[in-house]
Amino acid sequence: MPDLQPVRGTHDILPDEMRRHRRVEETARALGLRYGYAEMATPIFEFADVFARTLGETSDIVTKEMYTFRDKGGDGITLRPENTAGVVRAFLSNGLQQQLPLKFFYRGPMFRYERPQKGRMRQFHQIGVELLGVADPLADVEVIALGQHLLDELGVADRTTLELNTLGDSESRAAYREKLVAYLRDFETKLSEDSRARLGRNPLRILDSKDEGDRRIVAGAPPIAASLNDSSKRFFDSVCRGLEVCKVRYRLNPRLVRGLDYYNHTAFEFTTEALGAQGAVLAGGRYDGLVEQMGGPPTPGTGWAAGVDRLALLLSEPEAWAGAIAVVPVGAGETDAALGLVQRLRRAGFAADLGFSGNMSKRMKRADRIGARVAVVLGESELARGIATVRDMKTGEQDEVPLSALEDRLARYR
Ligand code: ATP
Ligand code: MG
C-alpha cells in the first residue's frame, strides 16, 4: 500500500481553494494583458545551472532550498524554485533580443525545500511579470503599479503595505558593502551562523536575516541611502515620483533587500500582517545584471512574483457555483427526460447539474449544497402536460413553465 499522506510541504488543492487560486491567477492574467504583459510558460524543470549560477551561491534558495537531482541520462536537473531565471533563459534560448522591450506574465507551481508552515510550502504557486529591455525607472513604476492594481482588484490592498528601497547601482553597492562590512565585523561573533557565512560573500543579505539576534545588530547598521551615488539617487527619486503620479502609496524601508543576488536599484515588497510570519505576498525589483550573468548581452530587467497560495488565503469567501440550475427528476420514470434536459441546457450555455439518485428531498438538498439558484423539477404528470416546475431555491417561489420555453424562462440564470 502507498503512504496516503501527500509529501510533506505539498497538499491537494480542493475546489474551494482552487476557485480562489483561479481568481488570483485569472485576475492577474487579465490585468497583465491590459498592461501589455503576454502570458508565457517555461518548463517546470531546468538544468540546475540555470538557477545555481544566477540566484547567487549564498542565497537561501541555492544553499538550502533547491530540489536538484540527476535524471536517468545523468543531467543535473532542478525543479524551478522561481521563474525569473527561467524566463531569462527562455528569452536567450529563443533569440528574442531583437524584440525588446518584452513584457511577460507567467503562473505556475514552484518548488523549494523549506520548513512548511501556513503560507509556506514546498510546492507553491506564483504569478509574476517580467519587463525586459527598459533601463528607465518608469519600468519599475509600471510593474509596481500593476502589482498595486492587482491587489486592489482582488480586494486585499487594505491589508497590504508596499515597502520600497533601493540597492543602488553596482558602484553604490560596492561602497555600501564596505561600510556595512566594517560595521558588522564588530559583531561578527554575535551574528548567526548563516549571516557569518554571508559576511564575506554577500553581506547585504544579512539585512534581510530573520534571526532575532541578527535583526538587533542590523537595526544599527548604516542605511544604504548615504552610499548612493548621484545617478542611483536620481533613479530612485524617479521611481518614487512615478509612484506618486500613479497614486501608489509606499513606505521606505532601508533594510529591505531581496533574497536573490541578481537585484539592483529598486527593491519592493507588498507585505501583510494577516498571515503571521509569512508576510510577503508580492515582491520584486530590478535585475539589470541577470541576463548578462546568464551569458547574454547586457539587458535591463524588472519585475515581480506573487505567492498565489498566500493571496488566496487573503481572499474572502469563495463564490459558490453561481447561477447553476439543478434538474430534478421526481422519480425513476423521469430520468431520461431529466438527462435529456440537463444536456440541452448545458448545450444552450447554462451551468446545470443532474441529481443522480435518491428521493426528491435528497435531490433538493444536493441542489442546495451545490449552490443552485433554481431547480427544474420534472414529474410524471407535468411531463405528460409538456411542462416543468421551476423553483427559485432562495424564495421557494415556483411556477410551471412549458418545456419548450425553459431557455427563455431561465435566461437570467445563464
Ligand atoms: P519569504 O521571505 O516569505 O521566504 P521569498 O523572499 O523567499 O519570501 P520570493 O522568492 O520573493 O519570496 O517569492 C515571491 C513570493 O512568492 C513571496 O512573496 C511569497 O508570497 C511567495 N512564496 C515564496 N516562497 C513561498 C513558499 N515556500 N510557499 C508559499 N509561497 C511562497
Ligand atoms: Mg524564502
Side-chain angles (χ1 to χ4, degrees):
M1 292 285 276
D3 188 339
L4 294 181
Q5 289 301 314
V7 174
R8 188 167 141 80
T10 71
H11 79 292
D12 305 305
I13 304 173
L14 298 180
D16 267 358
E17 186 182 0
M18 197 72 216
R19 262 202 298 275
R20 296 170 197 241
H21 277 227
R22 273 279 170 273
R23 200 174 133 216
V24 171
E25 294 186 359
E26 284 304 307
T27 306
R29 194 185 60 84
L31 211 51
L33 281 178
R34 222 192 279 177
Y35 284 68
Y37 292 74
E39 183 169 11
M40 70 169 293
T42 64
I44 280 174
F45 50 85
E46 299 266 357
F47 289 121
D49 276 354
V50 168
F51 306 107
R53 294 268 175 105
T54 56
L55 305 190
E57 46 185 32
T58 57
S59 67
D60 281 349
I61 291 186
V62 172
T63 54
K64 299 185 254 186
E65 299 174 359
M66 293 208 309
Y67 279 93
T68 298
F69 58 96
R70 292 224 167 265
D71 67 9
K72 291 197 167 67
D75 285 323
I77 300 292
T78 295
L79 300 185
R80 63 185 186 190
E82 58 94 57
N83 214 353
T84 303
V87 167
V88 166
R89 197 272 309 137
F91 162 73
L92 293 171
S93 311
N94 290 281
L96 304 180
Q97 292 93 311
Q98 301 311 313
Q99 298 176 33
L100 290 170
L102 285 163
K103 298 178 176 189
F104 296 118
F105 167 80
Y106 63 80
R107 57 172 149 190
M110 308 292 157
F111 306 85
R112 296 183 192 177
Y113 191 79
E114 312 205 53
R115 201 161 60 77
Q117 302 158 59
K118 179 184 176 190
R120 186 177 297 285
M121 280 152 296
R122 291 181 177 177
Q123 174 174 337
F124 63 102
H125 302 80
Q126 283 186 339
I127 46 174
V129 297
E130 311 295 353
L131 169 42
L132 295 172
V134 182
D136 196 284
L138 280 179
D140 305 64
V141 173
E142 178 171 287
V143 297
I144 296 173
L146 170 54
Q148 177 69 63
H149 196 163
L150 172 63
L151 299 176
D152 284 330
E153 199 91 332
L154 291 173
V156 303
D158 56 344
R159 277 169 293 162
T160 63
T161 305
L162 168 59
E163 300 188 36
L164 181 68
N165 192 20
T166 179
L167 308 170
D169 59 9
S170 49
E171 184 187 274
S172 306
R173 279 179 81 163
Y176 180 56
R177 192 187 152 117
E178 241 172 72
K179 276 194 210 163
L180 183 65
V181 172
Y183 168 83
L184 291 172
R185 283 277 177 229
D186 291 343
F187 301 92
E188 193 164 349
T189 54
K190 296 200 184 95
L191 285 171
S192 69
E193 202 183 312
D194 279 352
S195 290
R196 257 199 317 275
R198 287 181 185 131
L199 196 52
R201 291 197 289 184
N202 192 353
L204 261 66
R205 292 284 328 285
I206 299 174
L207 296 177
D208 188 37
S209 170
K210 292 182 173 112
D211 178 271
E212 274 306 312
D214 289 351
R215 278 172 177 269
R216 275 194 295 277
I217 295 168
V218 159
I224 193 162
S227 301
L228 295 177
N229 58 21
D230 284 345
S231 66
S232 296
K233 265 188 224 155
R234 268 200 306 279
F235 190 99
F236 191 51
D237 284 346
S238 301
V239 172
C240 295
R241 211 171 40 244
L243 290 175
E244 281 147 31
V245 171
C246 295
K247 301 193 167 57
V248 175
R249 288 167 49 192
Y250 57 87
R251 187 165 78 198
L252 295 177
N253 175 356
R255 312 268 169 248
L256 176 72
V257 291
R258 303 282 305 124
L260 308 176
D261 276 4
Y262 49 60
Y263 288 99
N264 65 334
H265 286 297
T266 320
F268 62 91
E269 249 178 39
F270 287 86
T271 59
T272 181
E273 314 232 300
L275 296 176
Q278 277 53 254
V281 291
L282 187 155
R286 178 165 280 277
Y287 49 84
D288 291 341
L290 177 59
V291 179
E292 238 177 320
Q293 222 172 311
M294 195 94 71
T299 308
T302 185
W304 52 253
V308 174
D309 314 81
R310 289 185 195 176
L311 287 172
L313 285 169
L314 292 181
L315 292 187
S316 45
E317 282 307 292
E319 65 278 22
W321 199 27
I325 295 166
V327 176
V328 183
V330 172
E334 289 79 56
T335 306
D336 285 355
L339 177 60
L341 177 62
V342 79
Q343 208 53 17
R344 182 179 120 195
L345 291 174
R346 289 165 176 162
R347 289 278 182 175
F350 295 95
D353 185 76
L354 175 64
F356 287 111
S357 63
N359 58 24
M360 244 317 259
S361 94
K362 206 168 147 198
R363 294 191 208 207
M364 290 308 284
K365 269 197 197 117
R366 175 172 162 80
D368 212 33
R369 190 155 48 82
I370 64 167
R373 285 165 62 197
V374 70
V376 178
V377 182
L378 300 176
E380 196 181 349
S381 66
E382 285 104 326
L383 277 182
R385 289 190 285 138
I387 57 148
T389 303
V390 172
R391 181 195 295 189
D392 186 305
M393 296 296 290
K394 220 196 212 143
T395 63
E397 265 170 56
Q398 55 183 52
D399 53 350
E400 295 187 336
V401 180
L403 287 171
S404 58
L406 271 174
E407 280 88 345
D408 284 345
R409 169 66 177 74
L410 297 171
R412 77 180 97 134
Y413 301 109
R414 204 192 303 253

